[in-house]
Amino acid sequence: EKGGYAHFMIKEIHEQPAALRDTMSPHVDPENYTIRQQEMPLTREQVEDIAGITILACGTAYHAGMVGKWLFEAMARIPVEVDIASEFRYRDPIIRPGTLCIIISQSGETADTIAAMREAKRQGARILAITNVVGSTIAREADQVIYTWAGPEIAVASTKAYVSQVMVLTILAADIAHKRGRMSDEELRDYVKELLTIPDKAAKVLEMNSEIQRFAHKHFDKRSVFYLGRGLDYALALEASLKLKEISYIHSEAYAAGELKHGTIALIEPGTLVVSLVTQSKVIEKTISNIIEVKVRGAETLAVAFEGDTKAREEVKYLFTVPKTSDLFAPMLAIIPMQMLAYYMALEKGCDIDKPRNLAKSVTVE
Ligand code: M6R
């Protein structure tokens, strides 16, 4: 059932090119490079009426939501709140008229996410669910659903569900931006054309397997790992950090790189591993200056960048590269080496990877 793989997690990591393709295919027309409207949940009028978006989710799905926030704001210029479902439900939250509420959940059965969805619905929001499980509670109760077609995800650590959620958000952001006149037909064509290359590029990333395994072999004894990034790279850093801690039990934290000076840098000592995500061209230099700051304090530095990067390469000890694509699509590729890093660190430590201690696949109690 693991198809020759040692664990479901690594099998599912390798299924990501297919998960991305299967999730993308119903929504994009590969001949005309457009978005197929039959599968899109919102009409032009409905899109025009959106005053704001609230995204609710837990864990990895919340991290996908942070990518969504960035894309919706940058591309469609709609204000977005992204909230942890368990915080939202107990906060006496405010849902303004015209709010589209996007619920993200792999299982569709997470108790806090269900409760948050019901609260948003009670307050009058239109509910759009992104889920992987047909017929799940969230799929049944939402006004509309877009499915991720990742296939069953067995490992507790979410991998292929995450990239599929990000794929849906990436398509939805373009559809909304286009319908609101923020993206021309031509820009949409270029966007879809590049998006179509992502599954093959994800397959290329998987070829880094042995390089990452070697890196993990050298560094699995680390007590603490820090992940830094800005913008989409920060969203990515949060997910990379969660992956590492949940299966390898290595303490890790993700910081918006600009926050470093506001306290975190006190924790950097000789030998600390600092992983920087540097895929966003607008802020690369900024993050590189943070890399230099931790390096002079003795940190061991690893960066994840696009192929062809010349800036990060000069400053870090180790570099993992992913095929070049639009900055907007970076999370779907750059997360893959981070998932593999978590996996191989945990493997070196002899952890029970598919069933990490204290965790359940689906948190159906609050
Ligand atoms: O099924 P859901 O997407 O609602 O689950 C949400 C989280 O419980 C889940 O993503 C969790 O954080 C994973 N273990 C992360 O790998």
Side-chain angles (χ1 to χ4, degrees):
E1 51 174 2
K2 289 184 203 143
Y5 290 98
H7 298 93
F8 281 110
M9 184 183 176
I10 193 71
K11 174 174 180 267
E12 289 163 4
I13 286 174
H14 282 265
E15 285 169 351
Q16 290 182 113
L20 286 163
R21 197 170 291 116
D22 293 347
T23 299
M24 175 176 69
S25 298
H27 303 296
V28 300
D29 175 346
E31 263 129 52
N32 302 306
Y33 303 129
T34 52
I35 294 178
R36 289 199 176 107
Q37 285 309 309
Q38 312 86 281
E39 301 275 347
M40 280 292 117
L42 304 164
T43 63
R44 188 175 292 271
E45 291 70 45
Q46 285 169 336
V47 163
E48 277 163 7
D49 287 346
I50 299 173
I53 296 176
T54 295
I55 301 178
L56 303 171
C58 299
T60 286
Y62 168 75
H63 296 154
M66 292 201 48
V67 172
K69 172 183 167 72
W70 205 96
L71 296 175
F72 291 128
E73 290 192 341
M75 295 167 59
R77 306 303 297 152
I78 297 176
V80 182
E81 270 190 66
V82 48
D83 218 335
I84 294 167
S86 59
E87 285 294 309
F88 179 88
R89 66 179 289 199
Y90 293 120
R91 199 186 49 233
D92 203 2
I94 298 167
I95 291 278
R96 277 172 298 190
T99 296
L100 170 68
C101 178
I102 301 179
I103 303 289
I104 310 175
S105 174
Q106 187 284 128
S107 63
E109 301 295 350
T110 299
D112 283 325
T113 311
I114 293 172
M117 173 183 70
R118 290 179 181 156
E119 173 60 18
K121 196 171 191 174
R122 195 186 64 76
Q123 291 197 29
R126 167 193 292 277
I127 310 290
L128 170 60
I130 299 175
T131 180
N132 198 40
V133 179
V134 177
S136 58
T137 304
I138 287 173
R140 281 187 278 110
E141 292 189 19
D143 296 311
Q144 282 159 308
V145 184
I146 304 185
Y147 286 104
T148 46
W149 296 108
E153 192 180 61
I154 311 291
V156 165
S158 181
T159 54
K160 60 179 182 169
Y162 170 81
V163 293
S164 305
Q165 288 157 357
V166 174
M167 174 57 88
V168 167
L169 292 163
T170 305
I171 295 167
L172 196 59
D175 189 53
I176 293 179
H178 183 244
K179 285 178 175 149
R180 283 172 83 101
R182 293 270 172 191
M183 207 178 191
S184 68
D185 291 349
E186 203 185 334
E187 282 166 337
L188 182 66
R189 260 198 306 279
D190 291 345
Y191 186 92
V192 171
K193 201 171 180 180
E194 182 58 27
L195 193 63
L196 283 159
T197 69
I198 294 296
D200 285 346
K201 288 178 179 170
K204 286 284 287 180
V205 179
L206 295 171
E207 292 171 13
M208 299 163 73
N209 217 49
S210 28
E211 178 186 349
I212 295 174
Q213 213 167 343
R214 277 196 303 277
F215 181 91
H217 183 67
K218 261 195 190 159
H219 294 95
F220 72 93
D221 60 345
K222 288 281 181 264
R223 283 189 46 234
S224 191
V225 179
F226 291 89
Y227 292 84
L228 303 179
R230 289 169 189 258
L232 282 174
D233 284 329
Y234 172 50
L236 206 51
L238 288 165
E239 175 55 10
S241 171
L242 176 62
K243 279 300 83 94
L244 183 74
K245 63 170 73 107
E246 75 177 323
I247 58 164
S248 76
Y249 316 141
I250 297 172
H251 166 253
S252 72
E253 298 202 34
Y255 279 96
E259 276 291 287
L260 201 61
K261 284 199 178 73
H262 300 281
T264 324
I265 200 155
L267 296 169
I268 306 295
E269 32 179 52
T272 307
L273 178 60
V274 177
V275 184
S276 305
L277 289 311
V278 283
T279 64
Q280 301 297 301
S281 49
K282 271 196 192 152
V283 285
I284 280 188
E285 265 98 7
K286 298 283 166 207
T287 305
I288 288 177
S289 68
N290 299 124
I291 294 175
I292 296 169
E293 283 162 355
V294 297
K295 203 170 65 171
V296 299
R297 287 165 179 84
E300 290 231 58
T301 51
L302 165 68
V304 182
F306 282 128
E307 268 166 20
D309 157 273
T310 49
K311 294 174 183 158
R313 183 179 302 269
E314 283 175 19
E315 299 300 341
V316 290
K317 187 156 175 201
Y318 304 96
L319 184 73
F320 293 164
T321 61
V322 299
K324 179 80 187 124
T325 183
S326 156
D327 288 8
L328 298 170
F329 305 154
M332 291 180 276
L333 300 182
I335 196 59
I336 300 174
M338 299 290 90
Q339 297 164 341
M340 291 196 280
L341 179 64
Y343 175 79
Y344 286 113
M345 295 281 243
L347 192 66
E348 290 282 350
K349 291 188 67 179
C351 300
D352 188 355
I353 294 181
D354 285 337
K355 288 200 171 33
R357 69 185 180 208
N358 310 337
L359 291 174
K361 177 66 183 159
S362 178
V363 186
T364 53
V365 291
E366 55 175 293

